Amino acid sequence: MSGSLEVDGLSAPVRIIRDRWGVPHIVASTRDDLFLAQGFVQAEDRLFQMDLWRRSVQGRLAEVLGANFVSRDAMTRRIQYRGNLDEEWASYGPDARAIVSAFVRGINAWVAIARERPPEPFVLAGWGPEFWRPEDLLNRTDAFLASGGAESEVFRARLIAAVGAGHAAALLGSDAPAAIPSGLDPATITFQVGDSLREIG
């Protein structure tokens, strides 16, 4: 938390000052240096949490937490985005890829240190930190957090398949979907989808 470190990839010295609450304040000469330092301090503070989140959204929890997570990992992998990565990067803005690349270089600078001297959570958990790729930040981290209404959506799809969109809308009132997405056949959403959602949590 104090002193100096040499980190590859910086174009000039960077100062990181932690206030009395431990919040880092970064002073850097360039955008890339700033985001490299941000990745470094974020990993310094939260690498184990970051590792779990990445594993969660990549469907890799069973690798470290055991067979109880196989179904969850399988569902996560089924819903992962597999589109064109260049288009995905472009959708975030012209400098997003460069910013993320610098940020990940900072994470990896801390990972290199942590692999030599593993932080206590990794030691207790029994696995080590891995290096990151910029693409790791494109994973949809809210896939399960934002799925609280998923069972209701399955019910609505089953109702529409059974009685038609108009009658379902009359029965559901304000809970009716605004529109059925183009190309979606509600009949393909079976009760097994709901069972799977309940199984994985």
Side-chain angles (χ1 to χ4, degrees):
M1 293 294 181
S2 62
S4 298
L5 284 172
E6 286 192 21
V7 176
D8 288 338
L10 291 173
S11 64
V14 171
R15 290 193 67 188
I16 301 169
I17 301 165
R18 289 184 180 266
D19 62 26
R20 61 184 173 152
W21 297 283
V23 176
H25 300 265
I26 302 167
V27 180
S29 300
T30 69
R31 180 199 65 194
D32 285 356
D33 286 354
L34 172 69
F35 283 102
L36 188 150
Q38 175 64 35
F40 186 87
V41 295
Q42 185 165 328
E44 182 180 31
D45 289 350
R46 299 182 176 271
L47 185 59
F48 187 76
Q49 178 187 13
M50 292 164 65
D51 184 81
L52 276 177
W53 274 104
R54 179 174 60 168
R55 288 178 181 279
S56 174
V57 298
Q58 290 179 343
R60 298 180 54 218
L61 286 172
E63 292 175 15
V64 294
L65 299 179
N68 285 346
F69 288 86
V70 168
S71 293
R72 187 187 194 285
D73 284 351
M75 177 62 90
T76 299
R77 291 179 186 206
R78 281 195 292 275
I79 64 172
Q80 281 179 337
Y81 176 77
R82 288 180 171 76
N84 182 296
L85 283 181
D86 289 331
E87 290 176 9
E88 176 77 355
W89 282 116
S91 73
Y92 293 103
D95 54 355
R97 197 173 205 162
I99 288 171
V100 168
S101 295
F103 182 78
V104 167
R105 286 195 304 275
I107 294 172
N108 286 336
W110 181 255
V111 169
I113 293 169
R115 287 167 70 96
E116 295 292 323
R117 297 187 307 273
E120 185 178 14
F122 284 100
V123 174
L124 294 173
W127 73 86
E130 298 176 346
F131 290 107
W132 287 60
R133 302 168 304 134
E135 293 75 25
D136 291 342
L137 272 66
L138 297 181
N139 295 132
R140 303 296 198 259
T141 57
D142 64 348
F144 287 95
L145 292 178
S147 64
E151 288 188 56
S152 296
E153 291 182 29
V154 171
F155 171 77
R156 288 193 296 268
R158 297 301 308 139
L159 185 63
I160 291 167
V163 302
H167 194 57
L171 290 169
L172 292 170
S174 62
D175 286 337
I180 298 171
S182 176
L184 174 66
D185 177 2
T188 63
I189 301 174
T190 65
F191 286 116
Q192 286 80 14
V193 174
D195 291 343
S196 295
L197 288 168
R198 281 186 292 280
E199 180 182 325
I200 63 172

